[in-house]
Amino acid sequence: HEPCHRKASTIDFETLQPKFGWLPMDVIRSTFDNTTQFCGTPASSQLKKSFRSPCPACNVQCRQEPLATDMVHSDTPVIDNGSKVAQIFVGTESCVIDVHGMKTESQFANTLKDIIWSCGAPTKLISNSAQTEISNKMKDIFCHLHIEDWQSEAHHQHQNPCERCHQDMKCISNWLLDRTNSPPSLWLLALKCTAFLLNHTSSSQLDGKVPLQILTGITQDISALLRFHWHEKVCCHVDESSFPSETAEACGHFVGFLENVGHAFTFAILTKDTNK
């Protein structure tokens, strides 16, 4: 489906004054210059109950930057779920990185919806013309949420800003795995940990500012980064243990940060006895 385009029409601001509480006309005119008016109701002579939003884009938070994406393939299944594919998303202006593991490439649409849910809908999606990224399902999402679509030319991957980020993340993840002698099956957790680190550390592309601060406008706290390093041996508390034959502590390795679970000091620990 092709996106709908509407031509701008002459606006009678005087007629609209009652809808804006009779505010001055220059205020209303400036409001139109700095806002969107995407939503419209279907023309009908009968009153009908709405089961779907007439304009889904108005129900979604916007992210004022293009979003570039690239796919990472691994020769080793990741621990726990066996995924061998990961999708990387990076904001072209904020440089905020998100990583999502996928069992199949067809799950790309679901990962994009997760990004929109957590960070807002971007103005444009930049990709490498992969079939899953330009499918009809993706075109429906672009049409409903007013997202532009752009692909790099064949054999010109450098046109995608995520390509550089892709290479840097693989390099840093290899540092983490090699310097700590971590098993290859932790590659996805290493990528996610790398994304968390880069999102919370100063970037030369942003004149020394932190990516998440650019995206959210909030000064970030890095206290969680100061506790452990990747694959460091740690002890964690066991919720259920038999007294007194079993200890209430377990030994494991630090493998990342849990942003959406618990408080700010909630970490992902790979325990030795369960390998989970």
Side-chain angles (χ1 to χ4, degrees), residues 21-271:
W22 286 273
L23 291 173
M25 292 236 282
D26 58 337
V27 174
I28 301 175
R29 186 178 292 106
S30 178
T31 300
F32 270 76
D33 292 338
N34 292 280
T35 59
T36 61
Q37 303 87 42
F38 287 145
C39 192
T41 54
S44 175
S45 59
Q46 296 179 345
L47 294 176
K48 297 180 180 179
K49 183 183 292 186
S50 297
F51 291 93
R52 293 185 179 180
S53 170
C55 186
C58 290
N59 300 328
V60 177
Q61 176 185 352
C62 293
R63 177 176 180 170
Q64 297 302 320
E65 64 174 344
L67 191 66
T69 184
D70 200 6
M71 196 172 291
V72 178
H73 295 270
S74 169
D75 60 2
T76 304
V78 70
I79 195 169
D80 281 342
N81 65 2
S83 298
K84 298 182 71 173
V85 181
Q87 196 72 33
I88 297 177
F89 297 87
V90 58
T92 58
E93 296 179 12
S94 67
C95 296
V96 171
I97 305 169
D98 289 281
V99 179
H100 288 262
M102 302 187 300
K103 290 186 177 181
T104 62
E105 295 183 10
S106 61
Q107 293 177 321
F108 173 75
N110 294 332
T111 64
L112 178 61
K113 290 180 180 178
D114 289 340
I115 294 295
I116 294 173
W117 169 74
S118 61
C119 300
T123 57
K124 180 190 296 185
L125 184 70
I126 302 172
S127 62
N128 290 339
S129 299
Q131 289 301 312
T132 55
E133 298 168 357
I134 57 175
S135 63
N136 290 332
K137 186 174 182 180
M138 293 304 305
K139 291 180 180 178
D140 286 338
I141 296 176
F142 297 149
C143 180
H144 289 163
L145 301 182
H146 294 271
I147 300 174
E148 294 183 36
D149 186 23
W150 186 90
Q151 297 90 36
S152 59
E153 298 176 70
H155 309 295
H156 287 70
Q157 292 88 345
H158 62 277
Q159 296 176 348
N160 184 349
C162 191
E163 187 67 27
R164 178 70 268 165
C165 175
H166 174 180
Q167 299 301 326
D168 290 341
M169 290 206 43
K170 288 177 68 175
C171 180
I172 297 174
S173 297
N174 277 328
W175 291 350
L176 297 180
L177 296 173
D178 293 343
R179 294 190 179 194
T180 58
N181 197 27
S182 304
S185 59
L186 300 183
W187 66 269
L188 180 57
L189 292 171
L191 279 177
K192 290 185 175 183
C193 185
T194 299
F196 188 93
L197 293 173
L198 294 179
N199 288 341
H200 288 81
T201 50
S202 178
S203 171
S204 59
Q205 299 180 37
L206 303 175
D207 297 327
K209 295 184 178 179
V210 175
L212 275 175
Q213 181 181 0
I214 298 295
L215 179 64
T216 65
I218 301 173
T219 301
Q220 299 299 306
D221 187 273
I222 61 168
S223 301
L225 297 182
L226 307 178
R227 298 301 300 270
F228 310 110
H229 65 73
W230 167 262
H231 212 247
E232 181 178 356
K233 288 184 178 181
V234 296
C235 288
C236 58
H237 181 73
V238 178
D239 290 329
E240 296 181 3
S241 60
S242 299
F243 176 82
S245 59
E246 295 180 352
T247 177
E249 294 182 351
C251 185
H253 290 88
F254 170 81
V255 289
F257 307 87
L258 298 178
E259 299 180 70
N260 299 320
V261 180
H263 51 70
F265 277 7
T266 305
F267 307 108
I269 307 298
L270 179 68
T271 56

